[in-house]
Amino acid sequence: MTIIMHDLAGADPAVRFSPYCWRIRFALAHKGLPVETIPWRFTDKAAIAFSGQGRVPVIRDGETVVSDSWAIAEYLEAQYPMPALFGGATAQAHARFINAWADTVLLGGIARLIIRDIHGMIDDSDRAYFREAREARFGMTLEAAQEGRETRVAAFRETLLPLRQVLRAQPWFGGATPSYADAIIAGTLMWPRCCSRFAVLADDDAIAAWFERMLDQYGGLGRNAPRA
Amino acid sequence: MTIIMHDLAGADPAVRFSPYCWRIRFALAHKGLPVETIPWRFTDKAAIAFSGQGRVPVIRDGETVVSDSWAIAEYLEAQYPMPALFGGATAQAHARFINAWADTVLLGGIARLIIRDIHGMIDDSDRAYFREAREARFGMTLEAAQEGRETRVAAFRETLLPLRQVLRAQPWFGGATPSYADAIIAGTLMWPRCCSRFAVLADDDAIAAWFERMLDQYGGLGRNAPRA
């Protein structure tokens, strides 16, 4: 049965840009599970009220509804064990650290580089909500939050050193083949790729080379995704 | 057969303080492997020349010599699979990210909080070497590098947010039980515990509560370790 997933969309409904939804798109593709995505907007709370909360991704798999990207990844691994996303309880526990790091350092760092660009590509109906919610979070305007990114990006790139160290030792964050760790990092990097033309990574960064390989995985799922 | 390990020691040879050696002490204890440690000082390169390099930990297991904490952990897992430190190739690949994060963010952050204290507790014979090498690395005196730690420690603690997020979801970094991920983080935290009286963690931090539990693991291996 095809899994249904509510997926954050921009003004152009073909542009899907949520870092959390992208983690699950990669996870589903890794397991070879067909998915039908439904474009969703930040303010469209009614459309996912059935999930008991207000954020995407939300998946519906037959009668089962699961929200929150980490919970969805756990669900998929339990329900459809092979090909494995984790490969055991300890790998899953270790991936939680990678997920937490991505949610804070990686996602938080990227936000300050592209937040104004996001406002420019989301639907008109989402803009007032988005500006108010994000300006409250940052304590400044979206314009101020993004300002100076050309110089600030160097410090952001330095925070990615642990990723580079791993890639010196192994081709994927999952080791010899991709795992959910690769879905986490690549999913998060799909966010700036789909929202913005600002280069968060330098071309000669080993992380960029790995990301290019991830873009080509799963029939070019990431490579072929529409960008704003 | 008892494994022999060269282990970095302070002026008091009972005080062992290397974050890398501590990772392996925890790893050996996890596997229930007996170890005989030989106190070693930074400038005692001749004593470990047999390993083909100049840093500890170095273990000798019968005829086999292994150096570098990560390589030793891999060796132990391959040679003595149970109880598992990793529990599979993907868990090991994911742990590499935790190791890289600990080597950069955690270890680098702690260094600027205790580096002058370390100089005060190492052997006289090591002091000139230590000062010269570390001052070259920091580009400043040891005193300047440690200065202002009472205010800077807050920013350091903020960088540990991913650890806290993991501990909200699971009791150990390895999940339901400790894994090498716990040895990595606890081993790194044994470094300030054994070198300094400066509190790198706040008492009410969930990471401190987890570290207290780790100190009591393996018969109180960490708890009972002499401090400078």
Side-chain angles (χ1 to χ4, degrees), chain A:
Chain A
M1 194 184 308
T2 296
I3 289 171
I4 312 290
M5 178 176 130
H6 280 80
D7 191 15
L8 185 63
D12 178 349
V15 175
R16 308 301 173 85
F17 66 98
S18 157
Y20 301 105
C21 291
W22 270 111
R23 293 178 199 182
I24 298 308
R25 291 295 302 279
F26 284 125
L28 289 163
H30 183 85
K31 289 191 175 289
L33 294 169
V35 62
E36 181 191 325
T37 63
I38 299 173
W40 180 86
R41 304 260 163 67
F42 286 112
T43 45
D44 199 9
K45 301 294 184 194
I48 56 168
F50 68 89
S51 71
Q53 53 87 60
R55 295 175 170 203
V56 292
V58 172
I59 66 160
R60 191 195 288 271
D61 184 20
E63 296 300 303
T64 305
V65 171
V66 192
S67 59
D68 178 81
S69 64
W70 181 265
I72 294 170
E74 284 186 328
Y75 167 80
L76 294 175
E77 187 77 346
Q79 196 71 8
Y80 309 99
M82 298 305 291
L85 277 175
F86 296 107
T90 308
Q92 190 162 323
H94 291 176
R96 215 187 256 281
F97 179 81
I98 301 172
N99 202 60
W101 179 86
D103 286 352
T104 53
V105 177
L106 184 58
L107 203 142
I110 292 171
R112 287 289 309 273
L113 301 174
I114 62 164
I115 198 73
R116 178 61 183 82
D117 292 350
I118 298 173
H119 186 266
M121 55 71 72
I122 58 178
D123 196 61
D124 275 348
S125 60
D126 273 349
R127 284 191 174 153
Y129 157 80
F130 184 84
R131 180 176 286 280
E132 184 176 17
R134 296 301 178 275
E135 292 189 348
R137 185 184 298 171
F138 289 119
M140 63 183 88
T141 64
L142 300 180
E143 289 70 17
Q146 187 172 297
E147 198 182 318
R149 64 181 174 180
E150 292 76 10
T151 46
R152 286 189 293 100
V153 70
F156 165 75
R157 290 170 180 170
E158 275 182 33
T159 67
L160 309 185
L161 180 58
L163 295 177
R164 264 171 229 121
Q165 288 202 354
V166 171
L167 293 172
R168 277 205 284 270
Q170 59 198 41
W172 304 99
F173 294 104
T177 55
S179 73
Y180 191 60
D182 296 86
I184 292 167
I185 307 298
T188 309
L189 290 172
M190 286 301 288
W191 180 41
R193 177 177 164 87
C194 294
C195 290
S196 174
R197 296 287 155 164
F198 185 72
V200 299
L201 299 175
D203 288 343
D204 62 352
D205 190 330
I207 304 165
W210 160 86
F211 186 48
E212 291 293 316
R213 297 200 306 276
M214 267 301 276
L215 290 174
D216 289 328
Q217 290 279 300
Y218 317 121
L221 175 66
R223 175 84 61 203
N224 300 325
R227 307 175 66 186

Side-chain angles (χ1 to χ4, degrees), chain B residues 179-213:
Chain B
S179 73
Y180 191 60
D182 296 87
I184 292 167
I185 307 298
T188 309
L189 290 173
M190 287 300 289
W191 181 40
R193 177 178 164 86
C194 294
C195 290
S196 175
R197 297 287 155 165
F198 184 72
V200 299
L201 299 174
D203 287 343
D204 62 353
D205 190 331
I207 305 164
W210 159 86
F211 186 49
E212 291 293 316
R213 297 200 306 276

Side-chain angles (χ1 to χ4, degrees), chain B residues 84-96:
Chain B
L85 277 175
F86 296 106
T90 308
Q92 190 161 322
H94 291 176
R96 213 187 259 280

